[in-house]
Amino acid sequence: MDAAAISALSREMGLVGLGGATFPYGVKLMPPKVKLDTLILNGAECEPYLSADHRLMLIKAKEIIEATKRMQQAFGIEKVFIGIEKNKPDAIDVMKKACEGDKTFSVVPLRVWYPQGGEKQLVYALTKRRVRTGGLPIEKGALVVNVGSCYALYQAIYKGIPLIERVVTVSGAVQKPGNYLVRIGTPVQWLIEESEGFLPDAKMMIYGGPMMGMA
């Protein structure tokens, strides 16, 4: 598949960025007007206390790497960086094994700080290239893809499955924190019940993460 085919498939399958921005991948993966030399796989969570991407890397590393290789080939990209924060050593090990033997891939342990998962911050941490305010990483020759989005692309390419589910973290003041693979449209009430309800000191529910989420 070339870049145009991947873009068209992403549009048909309803793929969007799953790192928080939900930007349409039919647009993001369009053939670029500039030469791309770097593909960055974002394995840093966008918010503290979230572990959806972490969990996905542990169980779907091979699929994530396979989809990454398809993008690398389609865009003719030379280098692939996989950025994962240092407090996820198990994910670092699993992803290293999944791309073992491919010298174009590098798994890079990152400093643990917020907002390490932001595109601009990630590009700078891995390449020292500065993306201007209001600009996009593509202007600096870099394509940044979230690991969840990458897995969704794998599902679309190899299984013909559109974006109908994602991993959701339920954390904080609940009896049983955890990650759940749920269909889009699943009631929040179901997630709370699966987490065995709120703790007595729960004061509010925040949707989308503690730093930028909505109470």
Side-chain angles (χ1 to χ4, degrees):
M1 300 178 73
D2 60 12
I6 288 181
S7 172
L9 181 66
S10 298
R11 184 177 294 109
E12 291 167 9
M13 295 294 181
L15 303 189
V16 298
L18 296 178
T22 64
F23 189 82
Y25 264 51
V27 176
K28 184 166 190 170
L29 299 181
M30 288 176 64
K33 296 178 180 179
V34 298
K35 169 63 178 173
L36 299 178
D37 60 18
T38 303
L39 173 58
I40 294 174
L41 195 56
N42 188 351
E45 303 289 350
C46 63
E47 295 263 340
Y49 303 107
L50 303 188
S51 53
D53 291 342
H54 182 189
R55 185 63 185 154
L56 191 61
M57 286 187 286
L58 294 181
I59 62 175
K60 297 295 181 182
K62 290 181 179 179
E63 292 87 343
I64 292 168
I65 294 299
E66 189 63 32
T68 304
K69 288 181 177 179
R70 295 290 71 78
M71 282 187 287
Q72 180 190 20
Q73 183 182 46
F75 288 94
I77 294 174
E78 302 157 13
K79 301 186 296 291
V80 178
F81 293 109
I82 304 172
I84 306 172
E85 290 172 307
K86 291 179 181 178
N87 63 349
K88 303 173 180 66
D90 49 356
I92 291 171
D93 290 342
V94 167
M95 294 298 280
K96 280 183 177 179
K97 289 177 182 176
C99 61
E100 197 171 21
D102 192 329
K103 294 181 180 180
T104 65
F105 277 68
S106 298
V107 178
V108 183
L110 299 169
R111 174 185 171 190
V112 182
W113 69 312
Y114 178 81
Q116 187 69 276
E119 280 194 339
K120 293 180 176 65
Q121 288 81 1
L122 199 59
V123 170
Y124 182 75
L126 294 171
T127 70
K128 300 306 177 188
R129 301 174 191 175
R130 295 184 184 274
V131 180
R132 64 182 176 84
T133 302
L136 297 171
I138 200 170
E139 297 171 7
K140 295 296 182 179
L143 177 64
V144 182
V145 181
N146 169 265
V147 292
S149 308
C150 204
Y151 177 66
L153 182 62
Y154 172 89
Q155 292 283 83
I157 292 174
Y158 290 98
K159 297 185 178 181
I161 300 175
L163 182 56
I164 57 174
E165 62 187 12
R166 70 153 298 147
V167 181
V168 174
T169 299
V170 182
S171 185
V174 291
Q175 300 285 349
K176 185 183 173 184
N179 289 294
Y180 301 89
L181 178 63
V182 295
R183 292 288 175 91
I184 293 170
T186 298
V188 173
Q189 181 63 37
W190 182 90
L191 288 166
I192 300 303
E193 290 170 359
E194 286 296 305
S195 304
E196 299 182 1
F198 294 113
L199 293 174
D201 59 348
K203 293 181 174 60
M204 68 175 67
M205 182 168 64
I206 300 176
Y207 180 77
M211 303 299 282
M212 297 180 68
M214 298 178 292

